[in-house]
Amino acid sequence: MPSFAEAAFIAPLPPLAAAAFVMLRPRVTDRGAGVAAEIAALLAVAVACIGLVGLLLAGPAVVAVGWDPARLALSVDPVSITIGLLVAFVGWVVARYARTYLVGATGAAKFHAELLVTLSAVLLLTMASSLPVVILAFLAIGVGLRRLLLFFPERQAARRAATKFTLVWSAGDIALVLATLFLVVAYGTTDFARLGDLASPGVTPLGHIAIALLVIAAVLKTAAFPLHGWLTEVMEAPTPVSAFLHAGIINSGGLLLIKLSGLVSHSPGAMAALVMIGGFTALFGATVMLTQSAVKTALAWSTVAQMGFMLMQCGLGLWPLALLHILAHSLYKAYAFLSSGSAVAAVESVRRPGAVAIPGPRAVGRAFLLAIALYSLAALGFELLLGQKSAQSLALGAILVFGVAYLVAQGLADSAPRALTRRTALASLGATLAYFGFHRLAEYIWGGILPPVPMAGPLEWAIIVVALLSFGLVAVAQAMFPLWAHHPAVAGLRVHLVNGLYLNALLDRWIGGFRTAARS
């Protein structure tokens, strides 16, 4: 007898059926298409909720068609149902928002249909339990998102962004197909669970090549450095597209790694590469973000940084925390994009508080000492109550300390009012406790089905030390930046950072992106 959990397998069908209805009935009005999109997305949310109830009552469910290595397998488990609920919910919010946003726009009905097709493909990806399903879902997502990015095809920047997205996304697809072929030769299967079991005694040489290709695919899908340029240009598409990107699309590389964590975690070299690529992407994206004046551009660079941080979490073996990061970041960033239009007005309506308190070197030093003491006390308290943490999780928490120190420094500046000092102190305490608390919660929910954190060896310790030093130096520079802002060298550096060190322009030149407006 089918269980409630298996109901989640039909979640992609309501959006797909509604898209077919809109496409096959040319007389459907824009308003009717918007209503159909919202209802279909809401049905997907309801089906995912039923699947969650079934999962809690009857446990995971699997459905498969065919035989290895071309088996098409779907599964409902804690990971897939978590991301499935996220995707369906964000998709419904975006569909509801788009109804109002696109009023009077030419081609709104077509937009709603393409949004639904892409939503259906992402929902399929969340339930994938074998690589052929992932490949099919990625292909459909690539086609759907390209069409959404070209909603305004007359805009040169939109065409350039769509061209870069297609090239980077397709390169990820090629890497994934090659990885699948190598895994078939090495292990004779493409099933996620079986791959993890077969690799546990030791990864074969072909297996290492396949894992390296999987990492490349994940890096390309998450717009990591240096092929991040298309993501920073998505504001040329309608705002709903920018928000919808965070419904399982831009973080699909992280989802792929988490689903294949049983295989990827057996390759120390791949894990180290994820930490280095992700860490550098996080530092680069966060630094450039601070120099941006446009709201949506700053949000796009923030996403680059956050996706790099998520890859770093995967590389450290903190799989539950990476999954929690995907969940929290998607909800926050989708909301941020959808509300970006009113952000400027909201800021303008706030009464100017006067001069900003600039922390001096002593204030920065006190802030870092206070943040480290706060973190140490919180770590000790959680360790005494709930047990010892891994070196990787403590290192990640130490990186959080650098952000906390920057916050504390504003409140410890000599000219800072007492109210600001109290608020920054309370916010820092809340952030520190939230890190440990949510980390424990993530381990409780998903820790039993994801690989444990590996023991830190010499390679892991070396990477951890480099990461801590890098993030620490950037945090100190960020805290001290107001003191140097008027120096000519810093002003020149700011110009280069505003332009992302011109990597996007180099990518444009390489792909001929400056000529996209002339293409048919």
Side-chain angles (χ1 to χ4, degrees):
M1 180 181 296
S3 67
F4 280 119
E6 294 178 354
F9 293 133
I10 66 173
L13 296 183
L16 194 60
F21 172 78
V22 173
M23 291 178 176
L24 296 177
R25 294 180 64 89
R27 294 184 180 180
V28 174
T29 63
D30 292 345
R31 182 178 182 276
V35 172
E38 183 180 345
I39 293 175
L42 187 58
L43 286 174
V45 175
V47 171
C49 289
I50 294 173
L52 174 61
V53 173
L55 176 67
L56 295 175
L57 294 177
V62 179
V63 62
V65 177
W67 295 267
D68 272 333
R71 188 168 75 152
L72 302 177
L74 302 175
S75 67
V76 176
D77 53 56
V79 173
S80 64
I81 204 68
T82 299
I83 302 300
L85 275 169
L86 167 71
V87 170
F89 176 73
V90 174
W92 169 63
V93 172
V94 170
R96 183 178 178 84
Y97 180 90
R99 281 182 56 193
T100 303
Y101 183 89
L102 294 173
V103 169
T106 303
K110 183 181 177 183
F111 177 91
H112 291 303
E114 292 168 350
L115 180 70
L116 288 173
V117 171
T118 311
L119 173 61
S120 181
V122 180
L123 287 170
L124 178 66
L125 175 66
T126 63
M127 295 182 292
S129 187
S130 65
L131 284 168
V133 178
V134 173
I135 293 172
L136 292 174
F138 273 146
L139 290 174
I141 292 170
V143 173
L145 186 56
R146 174 181 170 81
R147 297 185 66 85
L148 291 173
L149 290 174
L150 287 173
F151 182 74
F152 300 116
E154 70 280 1
R155 295 184 180 179
Q156 181 182 1
R159 297 181 65 86
R160 187 164 60 241
T163 299
K164 283 189 281 190
F165 161 75
T166 301
L167 289 175
V168 175
W169 192 267
S170 299
D173 291 338
I174 293 172
L176 185 59
V177 170
L178 292 175
T180 302
L181 295 176
F182 279 114
L183 288 173
V184 169
V185 175
Y187 299 111
T189 183
T190 59
D191 185 83
F192 294 163
R194 291 192 61 195
L195 284 171
D197 293 337
L198 292 172
S200 58
V203 181
T204 64
L206 284 179
H208 279 294
I209 297 175
I211 293 173
L213 289 168
L214 288 173
V215 169
I216 292 173
V219 167
L220 292 172
K221 297 295 183 183
T222 52
F225 180 92
L227 299 178
H228 54 274
W230 68 268
L231 181 60
T232 62
E233 296 180 359
V234 294
M235 68 286 299
E236 290 300 325
T239 296
V241 178
S242 303
F244 186 63
L245 268 171
H246 297 82
I249 297 179
I250 190 59
N251 44 39
S252 60
L255 178 60
L256 174 66
L257 291 172
I258 292 171
K259 282 181 169 288
L260 284 165
S261 56
L263 173 67
V264 177
S265 59
H266 292 297
S267 175
M271 300 286 279
L274 284 171
V275 174
M276 290 185 288
I277 296 173
F280 187 83
T281 300
L283 288 171
F284 176 72
T287 303
V288 176
M289 177 199 70
L290 295 174
T291 65
Q292 303 300 309
S293 56
V295 174
K296 291 181 67 177
T297 305
L299 289 174
W301 279 105
S302 171
T303 296
V304 171
Q306 293 294 333
M307 290 301 97
F309 204 67
M310 184 263 299
L311 291 176
M312 183 179 175
Q313 290 169 329
C314 292
L316 291 172
L318 302 172
W319 304 106
L321 201 56
L323 185 58
L324 179 64
H325 192 154
I326 290 176
L327 185 67
H329 176 257
S330 295
L331 293 173
Y332 153 70
K333 195 56 67 68
Y335 167 79
F337 269 108
L338 293 179
S339 61
S340 61
S342 59
V344 175
V347 171
E348 288 293 332
S349 66
V350 176
R351 184 176 63 86
R352 294 294 182 270
V356 177
I358 299 177
R362 291 185 178 180
V364 172
R366 291 196 302 269
F368 272 84
L369 290 176
L370 180 59
I372 292 172
L374 182 64
Y375 172 75
S376 301
L377 289 174
L380 180 60
F382 274 86
E383 181 177 336
L384 293 176
L385 291 174
L386 301 173
Q388 187 175 3
K389 298 297 296 177
S390 64
Q392 290 90 328
S393 63
L394 291 175
L396 196 69
I399 292 174
L400 173 68
V401 166
F402 300 139
V404 169
Y406 173 74
L407 179 63
V408 173
Q410 312 307 307
L412 293 181
D414 295 334
S415 58
R418 291 184 178 180
L420 178 61
T421 303
R422 287 195 302 268
R423 291 181 64 181
T424 53
L426 290 175
S428 302
L429 176 62
T432 304
L433 295 178
Y435 168 75
F436 287 102
F438 280 115
H439 193 173
R440 293 294 187 176
L441 178 63
E443 288 181 340
Y444 175 78
I445 298 175
W446 303 296
I449 61 172
L450 295 173
V453 181
M455 292 293 295
L459 176 61
E460 288 77 13
W461 276 113
I463 292 174
I464 287 173
V465 170
V466 171
L468 289 176
L469 290 175
S470 301
F471 279 91
L473 289 173
V474 171
V476 172
Q478 181 182 358
M480 300 288 290
F481 183 80
L483 299 175
W484 310 331
H486 300 292
H487 193 280
V490 174
L493 178 61
R494 183 183 179 89
V495 172
H496 299 315
L497 289 176
V498 167
N499 292 280
L501 301 183
Y502 311 102
L503 291 172
N504 207 12
L506 293 175
L507 180 60
D508 283 332
R509 179 175 297 179
W510 178 59
I511 67 173
F514 292 117
R515 300 189 297 273
T516 52
R519 297 178 181 177
S520 60

